[in-house]
Amino acid sequence: MSPSAASAAVIASGSGEGPAPRHVAIIMDGNGRWAKRRHLPRVAGHKAGVDAVRKVTRAARAMGIEALTLYAFSSENWRRPEEEVSDLMGLLRLFIRSDLDELVRENVRLRVIGDYRRFSADIVRLVDDAIARTAANTGAILVIALNYGAHAELVAAAQRLATRAAAGDLDPAAIDAAAIEAELDTADLPPLDLVIRTSGEHRLSNFLLWQAAYAELLFVDTLWPDFDAAALADAVAAFGQRQRRYGGL
């Protein structure tokens, strides 16, 4: 099946040759390079990246993807220049204010993973309100990773289990993979099937490290602002053609 034919099949049926992914995560990379190639300020790339978020989230819903997780702001992004962090916070405010009504209308449930309470008080209020307004929705789940880092997530999970064990509420011998998964930010989400990273980089950058253990990884050269419904369809089609053995034959 050619890439274009595979894309058409995915758009029509929501899958490639194999089962469609239930949970897709995307490392949205390349906004700065997109802007630089056009001799624009970096914030222009981030604005274009927000437009790509809208296109891809709508496409994911149309394709029947149950959960879409987007790496919006990592715990390491605080190291960026203060002006750029401020621009990103402004775009987050804009996205929530402009797109929340659509999420409510389309029956999308918004989830946030990561320690977003480190953000300014007005952003925390916006996020809390968005989560509350969509909490009863029963359709697709949109997960935004804000101030998220997989190492911190795993450390926090280990600390909670250790606290329970020290209090005598948990037998240390009973701590297994399922117990750890139950303490992760993603505990009630479908298992992660596919991780996509745009812009040609080939690393996970501290994103969903536990969850990605048996996920399919796809690295594409497309810069995030240029990633659209067709690109997502190509990615899902590629996923459908892979054989997932989980260590078996």
Side-chain angles (χ1 to χ4, degrees):
M1 180 181 291
S2 68
S4 59
S7 299
V10 169
I11 293 171
S13 66
S15 66
E17 294 182 352
R22 297 177 60 200
H23 185 179
V24 176
I26 305 179
I27 301 171
M28 306 178 293
D29 195 13
N31 292 346
R33 275 166 283 178
W34 184 93
K36 184 176 181 180
R37 290 179 184 180
R38 290 160 177 78
H39 307 288
L40 296 170
R42 285 180 65 87
V43 67
H46 294 313
K47 288 179 179 177
V50 171
D51 290 337
V53 167
R54 293 191 181 100
K55 294 174 185 177
V56 170
T57 54
R58 290 167 182 166
R61 294 199 299 271
M63 293 163 57
I65 294 172
E66 294 179 38
L68 176 68
T69 299
L70 302 177
Y71 203 9
F73 192 89
S74 78
S75 53
E76 288 75 34
N77 285 157
W78 295 107
R79 302 171 186 168
R80 295 188 178 189
E82 184 176 347
E83 181 179 1
E84 182 169 354
V85 171
S86 178
D87 288 338
L88 289 169
M89 295 299 103
L91 289 171
L92 175 59
R93 292 184 183 95
L94 178 63
F95 177 78
I96 294 174
R97 288 168 176 157
S98 61
D99 289 58
L100 180 57
D101 286 344
E102 178 179 333
L103 297 181
V104 173
R105 185 173 62 250
E106 294 296 322
N107 196 30
V108 175
R109 180 158 60 98
L110 179 67
R111 283 280 310 279
V112 174
I113 60 175
D115 183 17
Y116 70 90
R117 296 191 178 280
R118 182 177 170 185
F119 294 159
S120 63
D122 70 304
I123 291 181
V124 173
R125 286 194 298 270
L126 282 172
V127 173
D128 284 342
D129 177 64
I131 293 171
R133 285 187 59 190
T134 64
N137 289 353
T138 58
I141 304 169
L142 175 60
V143 185
I144 307 296
L146 294 174
N147 194 27
Y148 171 87
H151 287 173
E153 178 187 33
L154 289 166
V155 167
Q159 289 174 340
R160 286 191 292 270
L161 290 170
T163 298
R164 290 171 55 196
D169 297 328
L170 177 66
D171 181 356
I175 298 175
D176 55 10
I180 294 172
E181 287 179 358
E183 295 292 338
L184 299 179
D185 293 353
T186 55
D188 59 345
L189 296 175
L192 183 59
D193 292 314
L194 173 63
V195 178
I196 304 166
R197 180 168 187 150
T198 60
S199 86
E201 302 294 346
H202 294 76
R203 56 182 178 271
L204 292 178
S205 295
N206 199 22
F207 183 52
L208 300 178
L209 299 181
W210 177 284
Q211 297 86 340
Y214 277 103
E216 295 296 317
L217 309 181
L218 182 66
F219 302 101
V220 299
D221 292 332
T222 307
L223 300 177
W224 174 246
D226 293 326
F227 197 88
D228 55 15
L232 180 63
D234 282 338
V236 173
F239 171 88
Q241 295 173 18
R242 295 189 181 184
Q243 295 183 357
R244 308 181 74 193
R245 299 186 178 90
Y246 299 97
L249 297 179

